[in-house]
């Protein structure tokens, strides 16, 4: 049982400010068109790495939370989604603005996001501990199969590009295998470079894959300086009234929250899928489906709630099993490992108060998001119209500082640039970068569990097929592959709407 | 041409796994068993992607809206990579306070910012980064 009063006494004002700062930073980057949640997290790594582990996690998770909400602001006010998942928000959010209901739309956005975020964090607190307790009974073969399950479900990220998603995940695994092997200590693919004996440095690789590659994608746009566009100024009074009215749309909020939390808990599935599924479910179960796409508040609230419920949902497998629920969760998991915390069932045994405190700060961050959303949404929309020619070089320098600050090696900056080029090429050819990062994060664990399993069974591969839980996991892997193939065939036939 | 674009990544991956395998084949099997399994999977996936791309190119259906037609904008990418590589090299030879404004001003000018704002933002940006990361957060730049 969570001791609320004990936890409240542990609250630190500094960490509360860090949570609020994270929300503001997240909204800022989220509102920048082209900046995804993972890129926002990556760009702020230099700041996070100098904080304590708790403060760093609070800061990064608050950015993640604010980023989803921020992506909805330009979607509502200008019809330009901040990221792919906010594309669902445009469908009914922008028509509301066109009908003169921008204040109400922003209120629904803020309140829907915050409530869904709070419920998903409570869901994490309820479901993660028993899951972690169950996972404590897992041995290396089960843990290896769990990692493989997390990787195979990558295919569901983009059903139309399932082969590419799987290839990207495998590429991440191969990159992670560079360096000294965990069994005999032989160096693999290090090319006599001493810095590579520990493998490719994680933070510079991440910064290259998410930040540098995204900047390279952005500078290929035709109009680097976007043409001026008038932004509606929301009214504070109407926004506050809209926040209360939001609860009249409890059905859409519930659909969004449930689908976001559930989909977030599936390794590999992301906010874009959750937002579109919530939108479709809300539309199909509505008494007035024809009004969707024409400014129906339910069509705004359901996907927005789903996007923010992803945060708590994706924390369930990340913290309880050590399997990231999304690309951003993989970034967070990598940072935790860098700071000496190993996400997984053992974390709940060793660091339960830390996790509970983290959740408390996230609840505070969600409440702060309501306040910030009420007063500053319009201002964010204007501030974030920074011209790309100014933004791109500044981001490259910030990423370079982050890459250099981890070890003080110029080599790491080279790694960052190289991974930036790799990430750019992969993005251009529609290979999901989040799959590469999942592979990078899970690779060392997968190899360690694989070797441990074989050693404990005298190199008998039957160990992966004969234990009850591994059999269940095999079944789940087969089901996930079949579902991915069926989804792919539906997409190919055009019977399912593509999130992009 | 269209097929080449789609098979470029799997082709590069096949070359990479060939190099990886050649470089590690002298090692004991226990050291390379995991990457070998991953490479086998990658090889199969690469072949599957190449076959799929070839069939699609033959049908000409999947390439109706190929994204790689933005033409001259692609030129900015190698230039930006070269500028970034130059920035890294300059950081190695000089210092943050010299390399950063030079890179920022160069990149701003390359991306079309006018000279005066480029110089102002370049110098001010460097100062702000230094204050934030070196002075406030204590990073060794």
């Amino acid at each position: 049982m969570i001791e609320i009063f004990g936890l409240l006494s542990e609250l630190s004002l500094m960490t509360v400010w860090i949570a609020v700062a994270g929300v503001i930073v997240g909204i800022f980057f989220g509102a920048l068109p082209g900046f995804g949640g993972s890129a926002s997290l990556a760009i702020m790594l230099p700041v996070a790495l100098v904080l304590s582990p708790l403060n760093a996690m609070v800061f990064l998770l608050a950015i993640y939370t604010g980023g989803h909400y921020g992506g909805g602001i330009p979607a509502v006010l200008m019809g330009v989604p901040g990221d792919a998942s906010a594309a669902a928000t445009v469908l009914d959010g922008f028509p509301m603005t066109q009908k003169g209901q921008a204040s109400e739309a922003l209120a629904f956005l803020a309140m829907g996001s915050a409530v869904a975020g709070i419920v998903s964090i409570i869901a994490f607190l309820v479901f993660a501990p028993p899951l972690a307790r169950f996972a404590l009974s897992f041995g290396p073969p089960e843990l290896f199969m769990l990692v493989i399950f997390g990787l195979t479900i990558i295919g569901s990220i983009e059903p139309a590009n399932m082969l590419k998603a799987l290839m990207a995940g495998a590429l991440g695994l191969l990159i992670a295998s560079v360096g000294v092997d965990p069994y005999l200590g032989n160096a693999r693919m290090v090319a006599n470079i001493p810095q590579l004996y520990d493998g490719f440095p994680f933070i510079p690789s991440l910064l290259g894959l998410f930040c540098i590659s995204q900047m390279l994608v952005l500078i290929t746009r035709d109009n680097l300086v976007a043409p001026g566009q008038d932004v509606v100024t929301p009214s504070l009074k109407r926004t506050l009234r809209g926040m209360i009215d939001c609860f009249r749309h409890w059905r859409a909020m519930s659909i969004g929250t449930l689908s976001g939390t559930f989909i977030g808990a599936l390794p590999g599935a992301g906010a874009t899928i959750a937002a579109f599924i919530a939108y479709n479910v809300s539309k199909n179960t509505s008494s007035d489906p024809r009004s969707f796409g024409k400014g129906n508040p339910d069509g705004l609230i359901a996907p927005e709630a789903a996007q923010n419920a992803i945060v708590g949902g994706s924390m369930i497998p990340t913290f309880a099993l050590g399997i990231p629920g999304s690309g951003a969760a993989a970034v967070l998991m990598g940072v935790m490992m860098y700071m000496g915390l190993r996400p997984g069932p053992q974390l709940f045994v060793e660091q339960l108060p830390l996790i509970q405190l983290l959740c408390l700060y996230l609840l505070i961050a969600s409440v702060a998001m309501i306040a910030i959303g009420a007063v500053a949404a319009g201002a964010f929309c204007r501030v974030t119209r920074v011209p790309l020619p100014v933004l791109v070089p500044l981001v490259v320098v910030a990423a370079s500082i982050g890459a250099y600050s981890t070890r003080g090696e110029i080599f790491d900056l080279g790694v960052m640039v190289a991974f930036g080029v790799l990430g750019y090429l992969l993005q251009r050819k529609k290979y999901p970068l989040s799959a590469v990062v999942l592979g990078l994060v899970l690779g060392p664990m997968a190899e360690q569990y694989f070797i441990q399993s074989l050693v404990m069974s005298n190199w008998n591969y039957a160990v992966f097929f004969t234990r009850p839980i591994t059999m269940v996991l095999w079944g789940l892997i087969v089901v996930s592959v079949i579902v991915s193939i069926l989804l792919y065939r539906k997409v190919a036939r055009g019977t399912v709407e593509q999130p992009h | 041409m269209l097929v080449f674009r789609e098979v470029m990544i799997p082709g590069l991956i096949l070359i990479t796994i060939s190099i990886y395998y050649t470089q590690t084949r002298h090692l004991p099997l226990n050291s390379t068993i995991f990457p070998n399994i991953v490479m086998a999977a990658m090889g199969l996936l690469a072949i599957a992607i190449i076959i799929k791309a070839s069939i699609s190119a033959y049908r000409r259906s999947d390439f109706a809206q190929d994204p790689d037609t933005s033409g001259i904008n692609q030129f900015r990418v190698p230039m930006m990579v070269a500028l970034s590589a130059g920035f890294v090299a300059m950081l190695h030879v000089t210092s943050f306070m010299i390399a950063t404004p030079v890179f920022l001003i160069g990149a701003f000018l390359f991306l079309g910012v006018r000279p005066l704002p480029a110089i102002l933002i370049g110098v001010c940006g460097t100062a702000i980064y230094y204050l934030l990361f070196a002075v406030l957060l204590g990073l060794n730049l």
Side-chain angles (χ1 to χ4, degrees):
Chain A
M1 187 67 195
I2 303 162
E3 293 177 10
I4 298 290
F5 292 108
L7 275 180
L8 287 174
S9 67
E10 295 280 323
L11 281 179
S12 145
L13 189 63
M14 172 59 89
T15 313
V16 171
W17 282 117
I18 286 171
V20 175
V23 170
I24 294 171
V25 170
I27 296 175
F28 175 81
F29 280 114
L32 282 173
F35 251 81
S38 308
S40 312
L41 288 182
I43 192 71
M44 293 314 291
L45 283 181
V47 178
L49 293 179
V50 298
L51 302 173
S52 69
L54 175 66
N55 287 347
M57 281 193 289
V58 168
F59 186 56
L60 293 175
L61 278 167
I63 291 174
Y64 189 24
T65 305
H68 283 307
Y69 166 64
I73 296 174
V76 164
L77 293 181
M78 299 193 295
V80 180
D83 58 14
S85 59
T89 309
V90 176
L91 297 175
D92 277 283
F94 191 53
M96 280 185 77
T97 299
Q98 288 174 318
K99 288 197 294 189
Q101 298 172 340
S103 304
E104 288 77 5
L106 286 173
F108 294 158
L109 199 71
M111 189 53 87
S113 300
V115 170
I118 290 167
V119 173
S120 75
I121 290 161
I122 293 169
F124 164 73
L125 278 171
V126 171
F127 293 113
L131 188 63
R133 271 197 296 277
F134 174 63
L136 273 175
S137 62
F138 287 12
E142 287 82 11
L143 289 169
F144 173 73
M145 291 308 301
L146 198 62
V147 172
I148 297 302
F149 171 59
L151 287 168
T152 51
I153 214 162
I154 281 173
S156 66
I157 292 175
E158 289 189 40
N161 291 317
M162 188 175 64
L163 288 175
K164 291 182 177 180
L166 292 173
M167 177 65 99
L171 181 64
L173 284 178
L174 192 70
I175 293 170
S177 75
V178 170
V180 173
D181 87 85
Y183 184 59
L184 294 173
N186 289 307
R188 299 177 300 204
M189 269 300 273
V190 294
N192 289 327
I193 300 170
Q195 288 94 335
L196 278 183
Y197 277 74
D198 288 332
F200 281 104
F202 182 71
I203 303 290
S205 310
L206 205 63
L207 286 163
L209 279 174
F210 282 128
C211 280
I212 302 299
S213 71
Q214 192 60 32
M215 294 306 106
L216 294 177
V217 170
L218 287 178
I219 60 170
T220 57
R221 286 185 177 178
D222 284 329
N223 296 314
L224 284 181
V225 183
Q229 188 178 344
D230 289 334
V231 178
V232 179
T233 306
S235 141
L236 181 61
K237 194 176 165 188
R238 285 173 60 188
T239 305
L240 291 174
R241 201 184 304 142
M243 285 183 165
I244 297 162
D245 284 349
C246 186
F247 290 97
R248 286 167 54 195
H249 302 274
W250 60 270
R251 207 182 56 85
M253 213 190 289
S254 309
I255 290 171
T257 306
L258 286 176
S259 49
T261 307
F262 177 72
I263 292 167
L266 295 176
T272 310
I273 294 171
F276 276 90
I277 285 178
Y279 183 85
N280 284 334
V281 171
S282 188
K283 183 181 174 183
N284 294 336
T285 57
S286 170
S287 57
D288 184 17
R290 288 186 181 175
S291 64
F292 276 71
K294 296 170 187 166
N296 186 326
D298 286 357
L300 167 65
I301 294 169
E304 199 56 32
Q307 287 177 59
N308 268 273
I310 282 279
V311 177
S314 66
M315 281 168 63
I316 296 173
T318 309
F319 282 76
L321 303 174
I323 307 291
S326 65
V331 174
L332 183 76
M333 190 169 146
V335 172
M336 287 173 71
M337 288 161 77
Y338 178 81
M339 292 186 148
L341 293 170
R342 183 149 195 175
Q346 207 63 36
L347 190 72
F348 276 82
V349 177
E350 294 164 1
Q351 303 280 357
L352 185 62
L354 182 92
I355 292 170
Q356 290 171 344
L357 207 51
L358 173 69
C359 290
L360 197 56
Y361 284 117
L362 286 179
L363 293 176
I364 292 169
S366 294
V367 175
M369 201 165 72
I370 300 174
I372 295 164
V375 296
F380 267 112
C381 207
R382 286 188 196 83
V383 170
T384 51
R385 289 161 73 199
V386 182
L388 284 177
V390 173
L391 184 76
V392 169
L394 288 172
V395 169
V396 171
V397 171
S400 303
I401 293 170
Y404 182 75
S405 65
T406 52
R407 296 196 298 183
E409 295 260 11
I410 289 290
F411 173 80
D412 292 355
L413 292 176
V415 168
M416 181 192 74
V417 175
F419 272 80
V421 175
L422 174 70
Y424 169 76
L425 290 174
L426 292 174
Q427 277 203 67
R428 296 295 297 182
K429 304 297 169 199
K430 296 183 179 173
Y431 289 77
L433 292 184
S434 51
V436 183
V437 174
L438 278 175
L440 267 177
V441 171
L442 295 177
M445 276 190 279
E447 182 167 15
Q448 184 194 336
Y449 296 141
F450 180 73
I451 296 292
Q452 282 175 350
S453 305
L454 289 178
V455 169
M456 68 183 246
S457 63
N458 289 323
W459 297 88
N460 182 358
Y461 288 88
V463 72
F464 297 115
F465 303 96
T466 50
R467 295 158 69 108
I469 297 174
T470 58
M471 296 294 284
V472 172
L473 288 166
W474 270 116
L476 288 174
I477 289 169
V478 170
V479 168
S480 78
V481 170
I482 290 170
V483 168
S484 295
I485 291 169
L486 290 176
L487 267 174
Y488 167 68
R489 293 179 70 170
K490 280 192 171 183
V491 169
R493 285 194 208 121
T495 51
V496 165
E497 194 178 357
Q498 269 270 56
H500 305 292
Chain B
M1 187 63 187
L2 292 171
V3 181
F4 173 74
R5 283 179 185 165
E6 277 301 303
V7 304
M8 188 180 76
I9 297 282
L12 286 173
I13 282 172
L14 283 175
I15 293 169
T16 306
I17 60 178
S18 306
I19 294 169
Y20 195 118
Y21 179 75
T22 315
Q23 292 286 313
T24 56
R25 68 177 175 177
H26 65 280
L27 296 174
L29 184 63
N30 293 350
S31 287
T32 56
I33 187 161
F34 184 77
N36 282 350
I37 292 171
V38 173
M39 283 190 286
M42 288 174 79
L44 291 173
L45 284 167
I47 291 165
I49 293 170
I50 290 169
I51 292 171
K52 186 169 173 265
S54 306
I55 293 169
S56 298
Y58 178 71
R59 291 178 183 161
R60 296 280 169 143
S61 58
D62 286 8
F63 295 101
Q65 292 177 324
D66 193 281
D68 289 356
T69 51
S70 46
I72 196 152
N73 295 343
Q74 298 294 321
F75 173 70
R76 292 187 190 134
V77 174
M79 283 301 292
M80 196 65 201
V81 172
L83 275 169
S84 304
F87 173 51
V88 173
M90 214 167 16
L91 268 176
H92 188 48
V93 178
T94 61
S95 69
F96 177 82
M97 292 302 280
I98 295 170
T100 306
V102 171
F103 166 73
L104 283 176
I105 293 166
F108 288 149
L109 292 173
F110 167 65
L111 292 173
V113 179
R114 281 175 293 149
L116 190 61
I119 293 167
L120 280 174
I121 304 170
V123 173
C124 292
T126 306
I128 291 168
Y129 275 138
Y130 188 79
L131 283 173
L132 177 66
F133 290 106
V135 179
L136 200 65
L137 298 175
L139 295 180
N140 185 22
L141 296 178

